[in-house]
């Protein structure tokens, strides 16, 4: 096979990794990287792996230890995003009892007011970094409100979350200082939620945390460690990704003014528009799985313990599944993207993310007139697994 010069983590690809993904998908769709991981870029291979129980995380079999990716400290429980069935199934079904669509839907009018006021403020200023003024604080405020993090603590918690999100890339990508900061942020989260859980146990509350403490399934409940790991996971997963969906979608619309016009002319396209942003430029670009049994995949023999990396950004633009995949089409029918996954780990917060995005884009397309980038280039966060602009400074007018 020809030598392939591909490193998905190379910052040179960060702003636009898609031409590199296409080349890889065309020349070596199941590619063994120099680090030994199998990198998959075809939609059909990625979805097959997501649905196949022979691919997982392998924490019980101690296979996770072979990976280069973060593990919690021995004193911390593993968040269930890193667990396989049956442990994953038990915790996920307990959490499903608390994290209900009704609880999410109840927040809708409040989210609408919040995002409208942020967008109004940006318009009034005439120029604003939308990441800092709206796209990061919006989901952070929403997830804090949902979980029950008090207003006075939100800035502190948001800071830890940023550090952890950065640390989601594999460990070989991190300096030792970054790893230490990430582990400190995780410990800070643990300590913080330990106190909040104790307070809710004493006094109760009307929030997700209280429901998570109370959730019971056949007499089983989340242990203290599981609760803490779940809260941190929900907090971090619940907003860094949504920030990127809002930024990536806005950027895509600025670069495709015809699609922005379509949304303005027909806001009924907002739902399919959000799905298209998720497909076109997904916030989570990569997912890792461990192979739990020797097997064959697309003609390759793959050994137990090997690592598989699924490149969602590539699968979502596979021409075998999506017509004209590099084109943004806010009305794209039957959009089967895998931005929220496609197996047992299907995103817990997909409903919340869709609601926030729908309300944010509704506000943007109905309130904003002209909108253009105020900078020549868009700087990206130094992170690929959860990828998006570090800032998005725009000039904008009222409609
Ligand atoms: C646009 C925003 C979002 C995107 C693109 C996204 C994407 C994903 C993806 C791809 C996974 C699967 C990861 C894997 O299989 O390794 C996942 C899982 C998860 N997401 Fe999201 N997510 C988003 C928003 C949210 C929100 C708002 C929440 C919570 C409130 C959330 C909570 C979770 C949790 C807890 C899991 C683990 C589920 C499990 O292991 O069963 N996510 N998400």
């Amino acid at each position: 096979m020809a030598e392939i010069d591909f490193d998905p983590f190379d910052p040179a690809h960060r702003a636009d990794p898609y031409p590199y993904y296409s080349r890889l998908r065309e020349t070596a769709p199941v590619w063994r990287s120099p680090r030994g991981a199998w990198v998959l870029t075809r939609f059909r291979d990625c979805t097959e792996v997501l649905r196949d129980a022979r691919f997982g995380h392998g924490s019980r079999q101690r296979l996770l230890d072979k990976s280069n990716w973060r593990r919690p400290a021995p004193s911390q429980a593993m968040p269930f995003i890193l667990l396989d069935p049956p442990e994953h199934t038990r915790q996920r079904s307990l959490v499903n009892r608390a994290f209900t669509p009704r609880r999410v839907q109840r927040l809708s009018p409040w989210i609408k007011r919040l995002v409208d006021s942020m967008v109004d403020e940006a318009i009034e200023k005439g120029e604003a970094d939308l990441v800092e003024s709206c796209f990061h604080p919006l989901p952070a405020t929403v997830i804090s409100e949902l979980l029950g993090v008090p207003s006075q603590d939100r800035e502190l918690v948001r800071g830890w979350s940023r550090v952890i999100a950065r640390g989601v890339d594999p460990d070989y990508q991190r300096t030792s200082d970054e790893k230490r900061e990430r582990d400190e942020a995780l410990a800070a989260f643990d300590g913080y939620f330990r106190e909040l859980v104790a307070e809710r146990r004493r006094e109760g509350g009307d929030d997700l945390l209280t429901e998570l403490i109370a959730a019971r399934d056949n007499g089983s409940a989340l242990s203290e460690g599981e609760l803490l790991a779940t809260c941190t996971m929900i907090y971090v997963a619940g907003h860094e990704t949504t920030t990127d969906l809002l930024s990536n979608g806005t950027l895509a619309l600025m670069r495709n003014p015809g699609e922005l016009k379509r949304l303005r002319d027909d806001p009924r396209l907002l739902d399919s528009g959000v799905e298209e942003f998720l497909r076109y430029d997904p916030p989570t670009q990569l997912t890792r799985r461990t192979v739990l049994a020797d097997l064959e995949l697309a003609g390759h023999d793959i050994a137990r313990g090997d690592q598989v990396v699924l490149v969602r950004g590539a699968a979502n633009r596979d021409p075998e599944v999506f017509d004209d995949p590099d084109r943004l089409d806010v009305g794209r029918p039957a959009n089967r993207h895998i931005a929220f996954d496609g197996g047992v780990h299907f995103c817990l917060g997909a409903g919340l993310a869709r609601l926030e995005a729908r309300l944010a884009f509704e506000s943007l397309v109905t309130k904003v007139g002209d909108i253009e980038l105020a900078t020549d280039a868009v700087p990206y966060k130094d992170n690929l697994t959860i990828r998006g602009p570090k800032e998005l400074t725009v000039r904008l007018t009222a409609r």
Side-chain angles (χ1 to χ4, degrees):
M1 193 191 295
E3 273 290 296
I4 293 173
D5 173 21
F6 180 82
D7 173 6
F9 292 101
D10 184 341
H13 312 302
R14 197 58 41 87
D16 183 12
Y18 299 103
Y20 297 89
Y21 292 165
S22 285
R23 263 207 346 250
L24 193 60
R25 195 179 46 235
E26 280 156 23
T27 53
V30 180
W31 176 59
R32 189 112 209 231
S33 79
R35 290 193 165 271
W38 297 91
V39 180
L40 309 185
T41 39
R42 274 193 305 224
F43 183 90
R44 66 176 127 113
D45 297 326
C46 291
T47 45
E48 195 179 313
V49 166
L50 289 173
R51 289 196 210 108
D52 188 334
R54 295 173 304 165
F55 296 86
H57 290 286
S59 24
R60 193 201 260 181
Q61 297 90 328
R62 304 205 157 275
L63 290 174
L64 195 71
D65 289 359
K66 278 195 180 177
S67 101
N68 259 319
W69 299 60
R70 182 189 84 72
R71 297 177 301 283
S75 60
Q76 289 167 333
M78 190 84 80
F80 65 75
I81 195 167
L82 293 177
L83 293 178
D84 299 330
E87 286 89 347
H88 169 268
T89 324
R90 180 182 68 80
Q91 291 191 41
R92 170 86 192 223
S93 62
L94 279 164
V95 173
N96 280 346
R97 284 172 181 259
F99 198 110
T100 58
R102 206 166 59 91
R103 178 165 284 282
V104 168
Q105 206 51 45
R106 252 182 20 198
L107 292 174
S108 179
W110 173 78
I111 300 176
K112 170 125 187 73
R113 284 197 299 279
L114 191 63
V115 68
D116 278 352
S117 71
M118 287 173 171
V119 171
D120 285 341
E121 202 174 308
I123 293 173
E124 204 167 301
K125 284 190 184 145
E127 180 170 319
D129 172 6
L130 292 178
V131 173
E132 201 47 50
S133 62
C134 180
F135 297 162
H136 203 263
L138 174 73
T141 309
V142 170
I143 202 69
S144 294
E145 181 74 19
L146 185 79
L147 261 176
V149 173
S151 313
Q152 68 273 17
D153 301 336
R154 291 181 183 175
E155 273 309 300
L156 183 69
V157 174
R158 181 154 81 109
W160 297 330
S161 172
R162 281 200 142 163
V163 174
I164 296 173
R166 163 86 183 106
V168 175
D169 275 356
D171 268 2
Y172 69 81
Q173 289 286 316
R174 307 276 71 92
T175 63
S176 47
D177 276 353
E178 283 172 336
K179 282 187 264 187
R180 185 181 39 75
E181 279 171 21
R182 178 197 59 200
D183 294 344
E184 283 168 7
L186 277 166
F189 252 118
D190 245 29
Y192 178 79
F193 279 122
R194 195 181 295 280
E195 279 185 25
L196 206 59
V197 166
E199 198 180 298
R200 290 297 186 281
R201 285 198 200 280
R202 280 196 311 271
E203 294 161 22
D206 179 18
D207 48 40
L208 179 63
L209 183 54
T210 308
E211 295 282 327
L212 288 171
I213 295 170
R216 294 286 181 281
D217 194 8
N218 286 327
S220 152
L222 293 172
S223 71
E224 187 77 5
E226 288 166 355
L227 259 176
L228 303 181
T230 298
C231 287
T232 305
M233 171 182 62
I234 287 182
Y235 191 94
V236 179
H239 87 272
E240 293 295 336
T241 44
T242 311
T243 299
D244 295 332
L245 169 59
L246 303 179
S247 308
N248 295 349
T250 304
L251 192 56
L253 286 178
M254 284 192 285
R255 289 177 174 161
N256 293 273
E259 295 304 290
L260 175 57
K261 182 171 181 325
R262 274 179 86 193
L263 282 183
R264 282 194 175 127
D265 292 348
D266 185 0
R268 284 172 307 177
L269 291 176
L270 277 165
D271 287 332
S272 56
V274 169
E275 296 310 306
E276 179 67 346
F277 304 143
L278 284 160
R279 180 197 73 82
Y280 183 76
D281 202 7
T284 44
Q285 291 278 313
L286 307 175
T287 288
R288 187 195 57 80
R289 291 289 188 269
T290 299
V291 182
L292 305 180
D294 293 344
L295 51 82
E296 198 208 289
L297 180 76
H300 297 261
D301 289 325
I302 300 193
R304 181 173 186 271
D306 280 0
Q307 300 296 307
V308 176
V309 174
L310 315 180
V311 188
R312 289 176 202 284
N316 278 357
R317 293 202 188 195
D318 186 340
E320 213 175 86
V321 178
F322 301 98
D323 285 341
D324 204 357
D326 294 324
R327 186 166 70 86
L328 183 79
D329 171 4
V330 294
R332 187 176 286 275
N335 194 338
R336 299 194 288 134
H337 66 77
I338 53 166
F340 286 130
D341 216 59
V344 294
H345 292 281
F346 185 83
C347 177
L348 175 77
L352 177 61
R354 284 178 166 131
L355 175 68
E356 286 182 56
R358 194 194 191 288
L359 294 173
F361 285 107
E362 184 177 62
S363 187
L364 283 170
V365 303
T366 53
K367 286 174 175 285
V368 175
D370 294 328
I371 179 165
E372 59 174 20
L373 275 176
T375 52
D376 290 338
V378 175
Y380 273 75
K381 289 184 286 193
D382 184 18
N383 191 339
L384 180 64
T385 306
I386 305 179
R387 170 182 163 278
K390 191 165 21 182
E391 57 177 77
L392 193 63
T393 305
V394 298
R395 278 188 283 271
L396 69 178
T397 60
R399 201 172 169 197

